[in-house]
Amino acid sequence: MGVLDYLFSNFCTSPSTKTKYKAMQTVEIKVKMDCDGCERRVRNAVATMKGVKSVEINRKQSKVTVIGDVDPNKVLKRVKSTGKKRVEFWPYIPQHVVSYPHAPGVYDKRAPAGYVKDVQTFPASSETEEKLMSYFSEDNVNGCSIM
């Protein structure tokens, strides 16, 4: 009977009945919580979602971390449904990860200590470097194309 059950379950069922599993992921959300009631409301709203494994709340940093098989947009929508006005994905990353932490737009005084805003910063373009390097020749080190 084991072989027949295997064949029937794998080859005779329609592909629509198979469920797709979401990958385990971590969702971090920034939401302002002032009291224990706010924290409890957010925790209960998120913890009752299907696929949530754990919920961690850091009120001092205004950070909610959800771990589980969940869609980040659905978690954000669920937290917004608690009545919180300013809810967004966690916009900060640790300062030691950023290559240029003092670039314009990275520093945010509302960020927790040791964190900076997650902004893509790129070093100065190499195009100007290439232009400057093309003025000089390696064949004739004393020669310059400017003269």
Side-chain angles (χ1 to χ4, degrees), residues 9-134:
S9 66
N10 287 339
F11 299 111
C12 296
T13 58
S14 65
S16 63
T17 60
K18 293 183 180 179
T19 59
K20 294 182 180 178
Y21 294 102
K22 297 176 190 157
M24 185 78 101
Q25 61 183 343
T26 302
V27 180
E28 296 177 332
I29 296 177
K30 179 183 176 187
V31 57
K32 181 82 170 143
M33 294 171 284
D34 296 326
C35 62
D36 291 335
C38 296
E39 183 178 336
R40 186 173 43 251
R41 232 179 316 149
V42 170
R43 182 183 304 276
N44 289 340
V46 176
T48 58
M49 291 180 68
K50 185 177 180 182
V52 173
K53 302 295 180 203
S54 70
V55 179
E56 297 175 18
I57 296 180
N58 187 339
R59 194 186 326 167
K60 186 175 182 182
Q61 290 184 346
S62 300
K63 181 178 182 181
V64 177
T65 305
V66 180
I67 300 172
D69 305 328
V70 293
D71 181 25
N73 293 322
K74 288 183 180 180
V75 174
L76 186 74
K77 190 175 180 181
R78 180 67 70 98
V79 173
K80 279 185 182 179
S81 72
T82 62
K84 296 295 179 186
K85 302 284 189 231
R86 295 179 59 192
V87 178
E88 60 184 343
F89 288 113
W90 186 251
Y92 306 117
I93 57 175
Q95 186 173 2
H96 62 84
V97 176
V98 179
S99 56
Y100 297 101
H102 301 294
V106 174
Y107 177 72
D108 185 10
K109 63 181 177 182
R110 289 178 289 172
Y115 286 89
V116 292
K117 201 163 212 159
D118 188 13
V119 178
Q120 292 288 358
T121 57
F122 299 105
S125 71
S126 62
E127 185 176 303
T128 56
E129 279 183 30
E130 290 175 11
K131 188 186 287 185
L132 291 174
M133 293 303 288
S134 67

